[in-house]
Amino acid sequence: MSTEPWWKHAVVYQVYPRSFADSNGDGIGDLPGVTSRLEHLARLGVDAIWLSPFYPSPQHDAGYDVANYRDVDPLFGTLADFDDLMSGANELGMRVIVDIVPNHSSWDHPDFKAALASPPGSAERAMYMFENGKGEHGELPPTNWSSVFHGPAWTRVTEADGKLGQWYLHLFDSSQPDWNWKNPAVHEDFKNTLRFWLDRGVAGFRVDVAHGMVKADGLPDWQGDLTSVMADPRANIHKPPFFNQPGVHDIIREWRKVINEYDGDRILVAEAWVDPLSLANYVRPDEMHQAFNFTYLKAKWDSAALRAAITTSIADNDTVGAPTTWVLSNHDVIRHASRLGFAIDVKLPDGIGATDEQPDRELGLQRARAATLLMLSLPGSAYLYQGEELGLPEVTDLPDDSRQDPTWERSGHTERGRDGCRVPIPWASNSPSFGFGPSSNSWLPQPAYFAEYAVDAQANEDGSTLELYRSALATRRQHDLGGGKIEWADDFAPGVAAFHNNGVLVVANTSAVAVSVPTELQAILSSTAVETGSLPGNSCCWYLSV
Ligand code: TEU
Ligand code: CA
């Protein structure tokens, strides 16, 4: 086994608390619910759990609008429940990572309330990005920036005299005011938050919008287009003045120093939607430990595209001596079991509705299983999103009136938003809410077909996606695939991506038809049933290297 720090080859499982398990039947998942299901994660074989936000919040962006960074929202439980979850996980050999949201708070945060109640120019206002408007009476926003969730990125406030006054910046929803990172008080406050959770024993932080925080001096207007930046940061010649500013790295270095005060290999993981070369800057030796590799997530199911994504990701990270991470799904993107099931090329949209082009569920699952096997054979660490071990598809027929993602309202109902990947997990096929909780309540409706995907329908079933994940994690550990180094194998048919890693030959056939493979190859694990000498289309197989 590798003697490197745990995180270099870890498999980390993302729990989205509101959709994982509900302990009290109110239809919203909670921390005691997570604790009650830890056995499932231990049996799956993951090294760590990353918890999406569970902090006090008015929940306008499912908790990514934080009103208090150092407590638990009563919706999810108490700090004691958090401690129980963490000690339970630790006893089962799993670490716990929490989410930290430094670009913005909730408008319910006491500091923002104080800022609103204080006059322009006050110390309270200086905690956030307040500016005077343009135009004769300040009636125009300070810049032309748009919010990631659509609409303007600025909202005008009413001052104490009852008149319209300054504007505040929110790169996301208007309920998520951006912190002013030019203010040292903001730095101090966040370092205290880091210490609060480190003292409680967390193994690290997933840093939300790690490329945000600092905005370019003078707040220049921007002619670029945000949608294309998110889809392909390399494509945009105009770099946004509110993302990926050099000053971000000073904050990260400050945080790394705090982390370094603690023992136990704690980590910082960047969520930064930036171009791959810039991404490597987030994992320089004195910065974060990891950054999500969205290049792999965005790659099409195509051998050349996958090979390119893998090669450049590893090469980019090699320039700074950092290991790579791999990820296929999270709470912001269409689940890969559906994303890979589109017959046509789709950009990475953030939601599908009943009237949109639908993915092929069977094809999507077949490719998803293969893409997962490929991912889990790559050196570095891998991130899994709850439900993907069940092969769960995106829910594409949510009733529009059940949608909760702020994008849906802010886009004037032109973008569905991300609710389709956030539908509560099915645990038991024949129970109310499919075992999500003790009642039939579920904050987003679960489709009837979720029964087929339930944990109890797949556990110990030969060929089920759950058993595939369990075997894959065990085999990955056995062969230390997370700690190896890949060597491409070029002697396969077009449409195939193949490489050796630590004595395992990984062959992914992205084409629709079977390809022949040497008959002496001995399969250890495959995404679909394989016969000697042949590998079916849309599949991946791990063989012993010969
Ligand atoms: O996401 C950051 C981000 O910019 C994208 O993932 C974005 O939310 C998505 O593409 C919009 O369509 C993080 C969190 O993961 C996300 O859930 C939050 O909503 C967002 O930050 C704001 O905190
Ligand atoms: Ca609950």
Side-chain angles (χ1 to χ4, degrees), residues 14 16 50 52-53 61-65 99 101 103-104 148-150 172-173 176 206 208-211 230 243 271 273 294 330-333 348-350 405-407 415 417-418 422:
Q14 179 187 1
Y16 193 66
W50 147 35
S52 276
D61 184 21
Y64 280 94
D65 47 328
D99 218 302
V101 188
N103 181 69
H104 46 265
V148 175
F149 295 157
H150 297 270
F172 294 87
D173 188 49
Q176 296 168 297
R206 176 266 189 190
D208 190 65
V209 199
H211 57 313
M230 307 297 281
F243 282 150
E271 187 233 14
W273 291 83
F294 294 124
N330 64 34
H331 66 294
D332 289 332
V333 301
L348 196 64
D350 62 357
D405 185 339
T407 302
E415 276 196 38
R418 301 157 292 174
R422 300 174 175 180

Side-chain angles (χ1 to χ4, degrees), residues 454-476:
V455 173
D456 71 350
Q458 298 196 40
N460 309 317
E461 285 299 319
D462 253 8
S464 73
T465 303
L466 177 57
E467 290 303 330
L468 177 70
Y469 269 73
R470 286 174 173 174
S471 305
L473 263 59
T475 310
R476 172 185 160 93

Side-chain angles (χ1 to χ4, degrees), residues 266-457:
R266 325 279 183 110
I267 62 167
L268 293 169
V269 187
E271 187 233 14
W273 291 83
V274 299
D275 67 274
L277 268 178
S278 299
L279 192 64
N281 288 336
Y282 287 74
V283 290
R284 286 179 285 198
D286 57 347
E287 300 202 27
M288 302 218 194
H289 301 75
Q290 297 183 336
F292 293 123
N293 175 3
F294 294 124
T295 300
Y296 185 71
L297 184 151
K298 288 189 286 198
K300 285 191 293 185
W301 181 242
D302 167 83
S303 57
L306 288 165
R307 182 166 173 165
I310 293 167
T311 309
T312 58
S313 301
I314 294 174
D316 290 349
N317 272 32
D318 278 350
T319 63
V320 293
T324 319
T325 67
W326 310 99
V327 61
L328 283 165
S329 281
N330 64 34
H331 66 294
D332 289 332
V333 301
I334 293 174
R335 284 182 174 279
H336 66 285
S338 296
R339 206 173 65 229
L340 300 176
F342 280 101
I344 50 157
D345 275 359
V346 278
K347 265 178 62 178
L348 196 64
D350 62 357
I352 312 168
T355 55
D356 299 332
E357 164 102 29
Q358 298 294 303
D360 176 333
R361 213 191 292 164
E362 206 182 314
L363 176 68
L365 181 58
Q366 211 180 348
R367 288 178 173 170
R369 290 165 56 108
T372 296
L373 268 203
L374 183 62
M375 170 173 86
L376 291 173
S377 69
L378 290 165
S381 85
Y383 279 78
L384 307 179
Y385 174 52
Q386 66 179 36
E388 69 167 86
E389 78 279 23
L390 307 175
L392 217 57
E394 180 85 0
V395 177
T396 60
D397 56 357
L398 278 175
D400 282 343
D401 62 7
S402 70
R403 295 189 188 282
Q404 313 241 351
D405 185 339
T407 302
W408 173 241
E409 286 302 325
R410 291 187 63 89
S411 69
H413 299 180
T414 57
E415 276 196 38
R416 312 274 172 183
R418 301 157 292 174
D419 295 306
C421 64
R422 300 174 175 180
V423 176
I425 298 297
W427 296 91
S429 13
N430 293 315
S431 302
S433 69
F434 301 117
F436 166 58
S439 73
S440 58
N441 297 331
S442 162
W443 70 279
L444 285 173
Q446 300 162 299
Y449 63 76
F450 260 33
E452 301 160 35
Y453 295 88
V455 173
D456 71 350

